[in-house]
Amino acid sequence: MKSSIRRSRRAAVAVALGSVLALTATACGDDGSGSAGDKGNEGSGKGEITFWDNNGGVRTDIWKEIIADFEKKNPDIKVNYVGIPAASAQSKYDTAIQGGGLPDVGGVGTAMLAEVAVQGALDPLDSRLEKSSLNGKLSQNLLDSSRAAGGGDKLYQIPTSSNNGTLWYRTDLFKKAGLDAPTTWSKFYEAADKLTDKKKNQFGFTIRGGEGSIAPALDASYSQSGITSFWNGDKTTVNDPKIVAAFEKYVALYKKDTPSADVNNDFTKMVAQWDSGTIGMLSHNLGSYQDHLKALGADKFRGLPNPTMDDGTRVQISNPVDGLSVFKSSKNKAAAWKFVEFAVSHEENSKFNESAGQIPANTEAAKDAWIQKAEPTKLAAEALNGDGTKIVQLPYYLPDWNTISKADNEPNFQKVLLGKMTAKEFLDTLADQLNKAQADWKKNH
């Protein structure tokens, strides 16, 4: 059943790509994008362009502010804003690729980047960036993640922002227990044990067992093992003995130092559970900061980058990166690129990320005053851009990645927590699926 789903998914991409190539170009001047399959052109750098926001509603106000700033400095360019809810962005792009009506420029996250790029819809941005005022001012780790997510050869996305794995911990509970901040994995496990008192319904940690469980489990495993690459040749490292050992230690926390309800908890339930005040630590990204602030107040918690190894080595998996892409069918790529350059400039990128509560891709923006005041974001930015930080690039470019990391293996992860599957069996199964997906991808690229 699962293999047939993956075959159908590959077939859908193939059909979409065929449709793109079959469609003929339609001229429409400098008033926006052309049809799917059209190679587009540079245009005059003036006139109208259409921008699709891939997180419409949530980010509408800040994008409209950036657009107003842009139009004030570029009065000969008008930007037509279209907000698309995040949940439907992928399908909206797929439909437009097959039927026409793509924007000139749009928000495309790394989770969907490969599927949009493989259908021939995006313009490579390498040469534009090399000649741009942005060159040398963007986080190299985020650029690497953008390039890897698009397949590794070309840059199809200019990163705007990233989240980062964050370990939230209760400073009041740690102080009461005489514990150091959980900056290393040894200190983390010590705290998880010491803060657990099942008779009082108090636990050291809450583990994500429901939807979205695979990424935090992989992050914990790679960062403890010190392994810095997802691939060793054409084989994944996900079932390397060091990863297996780290994974076993992580899942062993379940029910020993975590609530039993964690087996079904997604991030919403985890955050609500942690904010109730009876759990010491929570691993979640920067996005839950405001929830914690409202529930606990600023003096009862801190957010740190996920722990390092005892020797200070920092390894983390690549987090999804949001960014902007220029569409190949655009009739006004020059104006579209001007908008990208402006949106990711120091001032505008800082403004966007202060609103979003995320890490700016622009390294000058990452030094601004608001970040210095928001400690979790400041520390996350420093960790992400640190010289010694090693990023394990997850294979977002694989067409089967989302299926493998969600539908196929989230139920298996729950089996591991419940003792119905060993950690090694889980990781061997995951590795086998990934190796086949990688072989299939290489065969077709």
Side-chain angles (χ1 to χ4, degrees):
M1 179 65 179
K2 288 172 182 172
S3 61
S4 65
I5 290 172
R6 288 198 286 273
R7 283 195 298 271
S8 298
R9 198 154 170 263
R10 289 195 197 99
V13 172
V15 169
L17 180 56
S19 299
V20 170
L21 298 174
L23 288 167
T24 56
T26 58
C28 57
D30 284 356
D31 60 351
S33 62
S35 299
D38 192 340
K39 293 182 179 179
N41 55 60
E42 284 296 296
S44 65
K46 301 178 181 180
E48 295 187 15
I49 59 172
T50 297
F51 165 61
W52 283 8
D53 171 11
N54 62 327
N55 199 0
V58 177
R59 304 281 182 252
T60 296
D61 289 345
I62 187 60
W63 273 120
K64 287 191 172 181
E65 189 177 331
I66 291 170
I67 288 169
D69 291 346
F70 176 76
E71 290 178 341
K72 186 176 181 179
K73 291 195 175 183
N74 299 272
D76 50 3
I77 302 175
K78 174 177 173 52
V79 180
N80 298 310
Y81 171 88
V82 179
I84 303 167
S88 57
Q90 175 75 65
S91 60
K92 180 77 171 177
Y93 279 126
D94 286 343
T95 299
I97 288 169
Q98 295 182 53
L102 283 164
D104 300 276
V105 58
V108 182
T110 48
M112 70 173 84
L113 185 64
E115 289 195 26
V116 177
V118 78
Q119 296 178 74
L122 302 178
D123 227 34
L125 300 174
D126 306 80
S127 60
R128 293 185 193 273
L129 180 59
E130 285 175 10
K131 302 169 188 173
S132 168
S133 59
L134 294 176
N135 193 22
K137 295 183 179 180
L138 301 180
S139 164
Q140 189 57 52
N141 279 335
L142 293 190
L143 283 170
D144 290 345
S145 291
S146 296
R147 193 180 300 279
D153 297 327
K154 297 178 180 178
L155 185 67
Y156 290 109
Q157 177 213 58
I158 299 298
T160 56
S161 55
S162 177
N163 239 318
N164 206 59
T166 301
L167 184 64
W168 303 99
Y169 75 100
R170 289 286 305 271
T171 51
D172 55 343
L173 298 182
F174 269 67
K175 184 177 180 180
K176 185 178 178 181
L179 290 164
D180 293 334
T183 53
T184 67
W185 283 106
S186 291
K187 292 178 179 178
F188 166 83
Y189 284 110
E190 179 190 358
D193 278 336
K194 195 166 183 178
L195 292 173
T196 298
D197 187 340
K198 294 181 182 178
K199 292 179 181 178
K200 295 181 179 179
N201 199 35
Q202 295 176 356
F203 297 92
F205 184 57
T206 173
I207 195 169
R208 189 166 180 169
E211 185 180 355
S213 59
I214 305 303
L218 290 180
D219 205 2
S221 301
Y222 274 93
S223 62
Q224 290 178 76
S225 72
I227 291 175
T228 59
S229 176
F230 198 79
W231 300 102
N232 182 8
D234 292 333
K235 301 296 181 182
T236 180
T237 57
V238 80
N239 61 339
D240 181 281
K242 290 182 180 179
I243 298 290
V244 174
F247 186 83
E248 286 174 338
K249 193 169 185 180
Y250 175 74
V251 297
L253 291 168
Y254 176 64
K255 287 181 74 172
K256 181 172 76 74
D257 294 325
T258 82
S260 58
D262 280 357
V263 69
N264 293 312
N265 283 353
D266 59 12
F267 86 91
T268 305
K269 293 174 184 174
M270 285 171 57
V271 168
Q273 186 172 258
W274 190 72
D275 287 346
S276 71
T278 60
I279 298 174
M281 295 178 290
L282 161 73
S283 184
H284 188 246
N285 59 45
L286 295 167
S288 55
Y289 176 68
Q290 292 300 327
D291 291 327
H292 308 325
L293 201 59
K294 290 175 185 175
L296 301 171
D299 60 338
K300 289 185 179 178
F301 76 97
R302 284 184 75 199
L304 300 175
N306 281 339
T308 66
M309 298 176 70
D310 287 347
D311 64 1
T313 300
R314 182 175 299 284
V315 179
Q316 61 185 59
I317 63 169
S318 56
N319 283 272
V321 177
D322 211 1
L324 297 172
S325 297
V326 174
F327 285 79
K328 191 174 289 185
S329 60
S330 171
K331 298 297 184 182
N332 202 350
K333 294 178 187 176
W337 176 249
K338 283 183 184 178
F339 179 71
V340 173
E341 276 189 308
F342 183 83
V344 195
S345 65
H346 177 174
E347 183 178 346
E348 301 301 317
N349 192 235
S350 182
K351 185 184 297 185
F352 176 84
N353 282 285
E354 183 175 11
S355 171
Q358 295 187 330
I359 303 170
N362 189 301
T363 53
E364 292 177 336
K367 298 174 184 175
D368 282 353
W370 69 269
I371 281 196
Q372 304 310 308
K373 294 174 184 176
E375 187 193 42
T377 308
K378 173 179 178 287
L379 294 175
E382 289 173 353
L384 180 66
N385 295 316
D387 291 337
T389 299
K390 305 296 183 184
I391 306 291
V392 178
Q393 299 293 347
L394 296 184
Y396 294 117
Y397 59 87
L398 292 178
D400 291 340
W401 170 250
N402 285 333
T403 302
I404 291 171
S405 64
K406 293 182 182 295
D408 282 5
N409 284 291
E410 285 179 354
N412 282 346
F413 184 74
Q414 290 179 317
K415 289 180 182 178
V416 175
L417 294 182
L418 295 171
K420 297 179 180 179
M421 189 177 201
T422 68
K424 188 174 188 309
E425 287 170 342
F426 172 84
L427 293 172
D428 283 345
T429 299
L430 179 60
D432 183 60
Q433 293 168 340
L434 288 165
N435 290 337
K436 288 176 180 175
Q438 175 77 347
D440 186 63
W441 185 81
K442 283 205 163 186
K443 181 180 177 182
N444 291 290
H445 289 79

